[in-house]
Amino acid sequence: MKKWIILIIIGIVIFGLYRWAKGVNNNAVRLEEDAKTAWSNVESSYQRRNDLIGNLVKTVQGAADFERGTLTDVIEARAKATQVNVDPANITPEQLQQFQQAQAGVSSALSRLLVTVERYPELKANQNFLELQSQLEGTENRINVARDRFNESVNIYNQHIRIFPNSMLAGMFGFQPMTRFAADEGAEDAPDVEFDFN
């Protein structure tokens, strides 16, 4: 009888360990997939911006005497950004930094384009341009939301695989921490604002 009790206890312990390991693994898989989906939403938002930029460039190209250098900068920055590929299954800090730098180049070139447009009243009055500009503003908001949601998903996943005792199994199952978006370099510094009252 004693032998059967010991076997039952061992069986219960083994079953409990199995259920715990299964739960850790399955939850990590679900959270990792959620983070990958959130990354896909980030890429989708940036793709929408790239598509809108293409239409914006076509609209601006139609304006007489528009500064070609500004347009060229936007076109080149957009081309560079579309060449940066990030593997959602293995996002490294280096990949994410390269992606962020490429997207920052697009944002900078786009900002210069929109500032330059201020000197062209016919463009500012163009309904198609105004609609594209409005859609771009909305897309920038979507990008920020998508990036925040990605960071939240990564945070939940990273916490799950790093807390004890999950951390003992996560490494054995091949789960590695994922990288979050960080603020662009220099974002912590307040911009210099100068007013010209002449």
Side-chain angles (χ1 to χ4, degrees):
M1 185 72 170
K2 200 173 188 181
K3 182 177 159 185
W4 284 108
I5 293 175
I6 291 172
L7 286 176
I8 290 171
I9 290 172
I10 290 172
I12 290 171
V13 168
I14 289 172
F15 182 72
L17 288 173
Y18 165 77
R19 289 199 36 112
W20 169 63
K22 178 182 168 191
V24 169
N25 181 71
N26 290 349
N27 204 19
V29 167
R30 184 181 55 76
L31 294 172
E32 185 179 42
E33 291 304 315
D34 287 348
K36 288 178 186 178
T37 299
W39 174 254
S40 295
N41 292 337
V42 168
E43 288 184 317
S44 177
S45 295
Y46 278 115
Q47 182 60 52
R48 175 174 165 71
R49 179 174 76 168
N50 284 337
D51 294 344
L52 288 171
I53 288 171
N55 292 334
L56 186 71
V57 165
K58 287 177 188 170
T59 302
V60 171
Q61 279 176 331
D65 301 327
F66 191 81
E67 296 160 28
R68 302 291 171 218
T70 305
L71 274 177
T72 302
D73 289 347
V74 172
I75 293 166
E76 288 176 358
R78 180 178 172 237
K80 283 181 189 173
T82 57
Q83 292 173 357
V84 177
N85 293 318
V86 176
D87 176 11
N90 185 28
I91 298 175
T92 65
E94 295 78 21
Q95 285 179 324
L96 200 53
Q97 182 180 19
Q98 187 180 18
F99 181 84
Q100 281 186 258
Q101 285 174 342
Q103 296 302 335
V106 173
S107 295
S108 177
L110 188 57
S111 293
R112 287 192 304 274
L113 173 74
L114 294 176
V115 166
T116 303
V117 164
E118 291 298 315
R119 290 180 252 163
Y120 294 85
E122 71 275 11
L123 270 175
K124 287 172 43 177
N126 180 315
Q127 192 59 40
N128 191 29
F129 175 81
L130 293 174
E131 186 177 320
L132 287 167
Q133 188 177 18
S134 174
Q135 287 184 30
L136 272 169
E137 289 169 4
T139 299
E140 290 298 329
N141 290 334
R142 286 182 189 174
I143 288 169
N144 287 332
V145 168
R147 284 173 53 146
D148 288 346
R149 287 182 179 160
F150 171 73
N151 280 348
E152 288 169 13
S153 295
V154 168
N155 188 52
I156 293 168
Y157 165 76
N158 284 349
Q159 284 179 4
H160 176 71
I161 65 166
R162 293 185 67 207
I163 59 173
F164 183 82
N166 296 359
S167 58
M168 294 189 312
L169 294 178
M172 286 181 0
F173 293 151
F175 294 104
Q176 298 298 319
M178 296 178 78
T179 303
R180 296 176 188 86
F181 267 104
D184 293 331
E185 197 171 311
E188 70 280 359
D189 301 326
D192 291 331
V193 178
E194 294 180 18
F195 294 101
D196 186 7
F197 295 105
N198 294 332

